[in-house]
Amino acid sequence: MTAAASDPDHPVEDSGPSPRPSGVGRRGSVLVRPAAAADASALGEVHVGAWRAAYRGMLPDELLDGMDADVAGARWRSLLEDGLRPHTLVGQLDGRVVGFANLGPAFESVPDGELYAINVLPEAWGTGVGPALLAAAEDELVLLGHRVAVLWVIPENARARRFYARSGWHSTDLRSTREVGGAQVGLVQHLKVLIP
């Protein structure tokens, strides 16, 4: 799943050092910066906290309740240390990582870019972290040479779909199904032209 839910088990080939994204920096009270291996524990907490809040009723309760922030953090540490997630950004409020965005080349619609995930802790919803991460991710995709980007979201996730629509993403009505923790999850693709 992408954008609506991160998939740290789906590695991205390391394309070398990431250029400094133009979106990195302070956006209001939110600081957006590249993720580092030292952020792994925080990424695990964000991943689990965001999923449990955002996907309750859309993903099986046993999947959400069985998630472990320590296990997710260990996976993030491995991916970041190995360079398999070179384009992960974190959003900070008051020095605390409360969200992340992950992006790179599209898996299913090459040569487009893809926003794989934006996850924000529920206590940070409405603080501007999500929009700051989305804007920074779009800037990074442009720097990587992508004129168009896609993301995938659970069709019933009306909150996420409204969030993306406000930033100019629109549904292509292209559907896909992916396995998440043993459950088959339906997704719909959204697209944005980054460089007209």
Side-chain angles (χ1 to χ4, degrees):
M1 271 195 276
T2 50
S6 68
D7 181 7
D9 293 321
H10 196 156
V12 179
E13 285 189 34
D14 184 2
S15 57
S18 173
R20 180 176 171 82
S22 62
V24 168
R26 196 159 290 281
R27 291 174 182 260
S29 61
V30 180
L31 175 67
V32 177
R33 62 168 175 79
D39 297 314
S41 293
L43 288 168
E45 291 174 16
V46 170
H47 182 163
V48 172
W51 274 46
R52 285 182 177 162
Y55 300 123
R56 190 68 67 183
M58 291 177 243
L59 295 177
D61 286 346
E62 56 272 14
L63 169 66
L64 297 173
D65 294 339
M67 293 179 77
D68 183 301
D70 291 333
V71 171
R75 276 186 294 190
W76 276 109
R77 180 174 308 285
S78 176
L79 291 167
L80 290 166
E81 287 177 345
D82 292 344
L84 296 175
R85 285 286 172 165
H87 305 291
T88 300
L89 306 173
V90 295
Q92 289 182 240
L93 279 177
D94 300 322
R96 178 182 174 217
V97 172
V98 295
F100 68 83
N102 190 255
L103 58 112
F107 293 119
E108 296 178 10
S109 54
V110 174
D112 296 342
E114 184 168 336
L115 177 59
Y116 308 135
I118 287 187
N119 285 184
V120 176
L121 286 172
E123 59 263 32
W125 291 355
T127 64
V129 173
L133 282 167
L134 182 56
E138 291 174 3
D139 289 347
E140 173 91 344
L141 285 163
V142 169
L143 284 175
L144 293 172
H146 299 293
R147 300 177 64 86
V148 176
V150 297
L151 59 82
W152 295 87
V153 65
I154 297 173
E156 297 80 17
N157 193 343
R159 186 176 194 280
R161 295 183 79 175
R162 285 191 306 270
F163 169 73
Y164 297 121
R166 283 193 299 270
S167 294
W169 294 79
H170 67 276
S171 173
T172 65
D173 292 324
L174 182 62
R175 304 279 173 150
S176 181
T177 302
R178 299 201 186 145
E179 182 181 337
V180 179
Q184 293 297 312
V185 179
L187 301 169
V188 63
Q189 186 188 71
H190 286 60
L191 177 142
K192 182 173 182 177
V193 175
L194 303 172
I195 303 175

